[in-house]
Amino acid sequence: MNNLRTSPIFKKKYVKIFSFIYLISLIISFILYSKLNNPTILDNIKNITQYLNTNHINFIFNHLIIISIFLISSIFLIGIIIFPLYFLFELITINFNLIVLFNIYKLKGLIFGFIYTFLTKFIYLIFILLIYKKLIKILKQFISKNSSDSLTIFLKKNIISIFIYLIIIFLNDLLIYLFLTKILSKLLFIIT
């Protein structure tokens, strides 16, 4: 537990940055909800029961394409800027979904929304952040003047870490596709 508190993810600087990004996403989500509050969106959310009973949640190809774009664009430094914007977008969509579910189903909708978000997005977002941190480390290492031997070892270590993170994201998406839709459909009793 002590290692978890001293982990770089939980440093005060990162917690402050995440809190700031989350607050911005929450504000934008409320604004979007107030502007886009139309019956079509609400009807689509109400059909979540039918959707989960007849379809699989499939993030595999979306995440593969998004991560590929980020990794390739990071070579040109654009990805370093796009990564936080994408993370903000993900938080906005999560908050928007929670707001809509709360509006339709009240507290039950919020509970189901948290469960749905935790099961479908939590691991993905954590590992996206870890990949981003590795890319920042690699960029800093390129900027600093180090010997080519130490740079090669550093790159190898971080690229292997990124590759492991990508495998975990893929396995998580595969589990979501194969099993999680059934689990979530069984949890629909919360909102029905």
Side-chain angles (χ1 to χ4, degrees), residues 58-65 170 173-174 177:
N58 187 357
F59 295 127
I60 296 170
F61 296 109
N62 289 347
H63 289 170
L64 180 66
I65 291 168
F170 174 75
D173 287 345
L174 193 60
Y177 179 77

Side-chain angles (χ1 to χ4, degrees), residues 4-33:
L4 194 59
R5 266 185 265 136
T6 59
S7 169
I9 295 177
F10 296 102
K11 286 184 180 176
K12 282 185 181 181
K13 175 175 84 171
Y14 294 117
V15 171
K16 285 180 183 178
I17 292 170
F18 177 78
S19 299
F20 179 71
I21 291 173
Y22 183 77
L23 183 62
I24 289 172
S25 75
L26 194 59
I27 292 168
I28 293 171
S29 299
F30 274 113
I31 293 169
L32 282 175
Y33 179 74

